């Protein structure tokens, strides 16, 4: 997937979590891919308003919900630090695409982590 937004293309998603052995790299890679797919969908679909954006972020959030099960199976979990980092990356994404007024609670409203 080719990301054209230069801010996003240079972002190392979930970067703060990789140094910790508690979070398996292969699962963080899957989380990074979720965020990159979200970016690709925003670029492809170009939501015209917050409702359209929230529909896209809901899909990505549900993917993280599913990924949570893999973290549990690996003896890890999306806990406080991870939640903050993931939410921060969601916030970065929506801002980078011009939705600085998006409500972060709405952006990740579907989360169960």
């Amino acid at each position: 997937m080719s990301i054209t937004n230069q801010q996003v293309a240079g972002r190392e998603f979930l970067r703060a979590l990789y140094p910790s052995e508690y979070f398996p790299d292969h699962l963080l890679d899957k989380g990074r891919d979720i965020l990159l797919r979200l970016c690709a969908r925003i670029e492809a679909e170009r939501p015209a308003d917050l409702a359209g954006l929230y529909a896209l972020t809901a899909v990505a959030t549900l993917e993280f919900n599913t990924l949570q099960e893999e973290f549990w199976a690996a003896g890890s979990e999306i806990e406080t630090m991870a939640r903050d980092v993931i939410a921060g990356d969601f916030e970065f994404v929506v801002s980078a695409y011009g939705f600085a007024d998006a409500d972060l609670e709405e952006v990740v409203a579907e989360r169960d982590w």
Side-chain angles (χ1 to χ4, degrees), residues 10 12 18 41 55:
E12 294 180 47
Y18 278 94
R41 288 194 66 199

Side-chain angles (χ1 to χ4, degrees), residues 2 31 57 59 76 83 98 102:
S2 179
T57 61
V59 171
S76 183
R83 284 192 297 269

Side-chain angles (χ1 to χ4, degrees), residues 4 8 12 16 27 39 41 62 67 72 82 84 90 98-99 103:
T4 61
V8 172
E12 294 180 47
L27 296 179
C39 294
R41 288 194 66 199
L62 291 170
L67 187 58
W72 285 329
D84 290 347
F90 268 95
F99 293 96
D103 180 341

